[in-house]
Amino acid sequence: MSDRPRPEHAPDAGGSGGGKETGRRVIAWLKANPPPGPFRPEFWRSPLRGPWLTSVFGLALLIGIPLVAITGLLSYAAYDPRLPANDTTPERGLLGFYFFGWPTEPVWLYRLTQGVHVILGLTLVPILLAKLWSVIPKLFLWPPARTVAEMLERASLVLLVGGAVFEFVTGILNIQLFYVFPFSFYPAHLYGAWIFLGAFLAHVAFKLPKMVRTLRSRSIREELRIGLDGTRPEPHDPDGLVPVSPAAPTISRRGVLGFAGGASLMMFGLSVGQTMDGPLRRTALLAPHGREYGPGPNDFQVNKTAAAMGVNPAETGDGWRLELAGPRAAPLRFSRAELLAMPSHTYALPIACVEGWSTVQRWTGVRLADLAVLAGARPGRDGVFVESLENGAFSKASLNAGQVADLRSLLALRVNGADLSLDHGFPARIIVPNAPGVHNTKWVRSLSFRPMST
């Protein structure tokens, strides 16, 4: 045996108390000897932190996050992922379950859901950061876990915080088309959402009773009347949020709530205009890709330009032909002049993108239902497979039978009384009520009508 002396305060792993006693000694020693810095309770000194302030931020997130999650999942459903070429997450397994084909009514539904998803998500960013600030001492508790229950709670916190940061960061980068991450956004965002939602639900189940009790312990109206001079630390709590040696306050809880709420209102005000037409659109300073879009009647959002999508202008000139195929007729080809000579229809319809922006424009073109009849298809029973001249991820898409049958669904040739610009899809594009923007395919090359089940 070694004759080296054991450190004076180290736990004796071979004590006579058995495994449980040894475990208690180890935990006691670790608790008495934390690493320096944030692992020591006295490091955290803000007198504002405590269960009540955390619960106020938690309540706001408890209301907002489910709305963001539901609208995000509805957006995925709007892609009709069971139709050919529509599935952006082919390995989703049970995570991509949907039981309905995406409808064309009401025409504003996708505009609403994506506006809520993106704008509410941006609005919640300051609240999320404030909530993380309020609980950051919990991330440095020492020892990390003393019981199995604590170990499970800590694991759920890692998934909760990591999932929230991942979803918000990748979502914000996506609305700016700033893909600096080395993976596909769509599957990663979907899988991350389910991981985060699982941790979120577990956290709510575990913390909701305490949150309710804490919120009832003091009136928010009374708290908002208390200024800096009256700001005091909350009563001690066993979770370690209240500092053991608080510093003098430099801001009141009213100030913190006002700062977080004001930042959220600012985020809302700088982004909500992208879902509105008219003067308020100019207030959307956080709108993706800027606020100047095009000349004259084509002055509305361009998500991706023809150049960015590899569209060769030579392919969109006089030699362009629309290829039309169906289940019971020989393939047909039409020039743009021949399409313009067909019966045309004009409808004011919104176009909305997964990135949150939307707009209503007046579209003129040939009904998809009429083209389906020309191709020998059956409107209401056959869908359509659309192919584009572009080289992007959404160069192909499928529309379900209900979308084809809707008389407002168009192969659009003009917008607001003028020819489509090249960046808006010239010589022809799809416009379908309530469809995601990427399914309103630009630079259409061919339409193939065929039976499709959803």
Side-chain angles (χ1 to χ4, degrees):
M1 293 180 61
S2 171
D3 292 330
R4 288 183 300 174
R6 181 173 53 84
E8 181 178 357
H9 299 292
D12 185 358
S16 59
K20 291 184 178 180
E21 179 63 26
T22 299
R24 283 193 290 268
R25 288 185 179 183
V26 170
I27 290 173
W29 185 83
L30 290 173
K31 188 174 182 180
N33 296 272
F39 293 95
R40 300 194 174 192
E42 59 270 18
F43 179 88
W44 306 102
R45 303 194 62 198
S46 172
L48 304 180
R49 286 192 183 94
W52 184 84
L53 185 64
T54 295
S55 296
V56 172
F57 292 135
L59 178 62
L61 294 175
L62 183 61
I63 296 170
I65 283 180
L67 286 174
V68 174
I70 291 169
T71 51
L73 292 174
L74 282 175
S75 174
Y76 188 75
Y79 280 59
D80 268 338
R82 287 174 286 182
L83 297 183
N86 288 1
D87 192 359
T88 57
T89 56
E91 298 178 355
R92 70 191 188 279
L94 295 177
L95 297 181
F97 58 91
Y98 296 101
F99 306 104
F100 56 92
W102 190 247
T104 57
E105 288 283 1
V107 296
W108 44 260
L109 178 61
Y110 191 74
R111 186 183 196 187
L112 174 66
T113 60
Q114 277 315 105
V116 169
H117 182 71
V118 172
I119 294 168
L120 180 57
L122 290 172
T123 300
L124 288 177
V125 167
I127 304 299
L128 176 66
L129 294 176
K131 174 68 158 45
L132 292 178
W133 171 85
S134 74
V135 299
I136 196 169
K138 294 268 300 173
L139 301 180
F140 293 93
L141 284 181
W142 189 265
R146 289 167 289 185
T147 65
V148 173
E150 281 189 357
M151 188 180 301
L152 293 175
E153 182 188 1
R154 299 282 287 170
S156 71
L157 283 177
V158 171
L159 295 177
L160 181 70
V161 175
V165 172
F166 179 84
E167 289 297 288
F168 276 81
V169 169
T170 56
I172 291 171
L173 291 176
N174 175 67
I175 66 177
Q176 295 297 336
L177 302 182
F178 189 48
Y179 300 117
V180 294
F181 34 80
F183 47 78
S184 173
F185 166 77
Y186 293 95
H189 204 64
L190 176 67
Y191 305 154
W194 284 117
I195 292 172
F196 168 69
L197 285 175
F200 180 76
L201 292 174
H203 186 72
V204 169
F206 186 76
K207 293 293 187 180
L208 184 60
K210 181 177 181 179
M211 186 184 81
V212 173
R213 290 195 303 270
T214 303
L215 289 173
R216 289 175 175 174
S217 66
R218 59 176 67 193
S219 167
I220 190 169
R221 289 185 179 180
E222 293 179 4
E223 195 67 35
L224 291 178
R225 296 191 185 103
I226 300 175
L228 182 62
D229 293 341
T231 299
R232 301 288 183 272
E234 293 185 40
H236 173 73
D237 77 295
D239 287 339
L241 293 179
V242 179
V244 295
S245 55
T250 57
I251 187 174
S252 65
R253 289 186 185 84
R254 175 179 65 189
V256 169
L257 292 173
F259 181 81
S264 290
L265 287 176
M266 182 182 70
M267 294 290 283
F268 177 82
L270 294 179
S271 57
V272 70
Q274 65 181 302
T275 67
M276 301 178 181
D277 294 303
L280 283 178
R281 187 170 293 276
R282 301 300 174 190
T283 68
L285 301 182
L286 296 183
H289 330 311
R291 293 175 293 138
E292 299 295 333
Y293 311 127
N298 281 272
D299 186 23
F300 58 96
Q301 182 79 41
V302 174
N303 198 40
K304 295 180 181 179
T305 64
M309 292 294 97
V311 176
N312 184 352
E315 295 182 280
T316 65
D318 292 339
W320 174 84
R321 296 292 184 271
L322 173 70
E323 298 177 9
L324 197 64
R328 290 179 302 280
L332 302 170
R333 289 167 60 86
F334 295 97
S335 68
R336 193 170 190 276
E338 290 172 324
L339 291 170
L340 285 169
M342 294 180 182
S344 65
H345 304 270
T346 300
Y347 299 102
L349 293 171
I351 182 170
C353 184
V354 70
E355 295 154 9
W357 64 265
S358 59
T359 182
V360 175
Q361 305 295 331
R362 292 187 63 81
W363 309 92
T364 300
V366 182
R367 285 172 172 164
L368 291 183
D370 294 341
L371 293 173
V373 172
L374 285 176
R378 302 158 297 178
R381 299 183 64 182
D382 293 332
V384 65
F385 184 73
V386 185
E387 294 184 80
S388 171
L389 295 172
E390 72 169 273
N391 297 316
F394 295 98
S395 61
K396 299 178 178 65
S398 294
L399 301 173
N400 64 46
Q403 290 172 316
V404 171
D406 193 301
L407 296 181
R408 297 162 298 179
S409 296
L410 300 175
L411 179 70
L413 305 170
R414 313 189 78 203
V415 61
N416 299 323
D419 287 343
L420 295 167
S421 69
L422 182 60
D423 285 338
H424 278 305
F426 182 88
R429 70 172 299 165
I430 296 294
I431 291 295
V432 172
N434 196 40
V438 292
H439 283 186
N440 290 297
T441 307
K442 297 192 284 188
W443 313 294
V444 174
R445 177 169 64 86
S446 68
L447 299 175
S448 178
F449 294 91
R450 61 183 71 169
M452 290 185 188
S453 59
T454 59

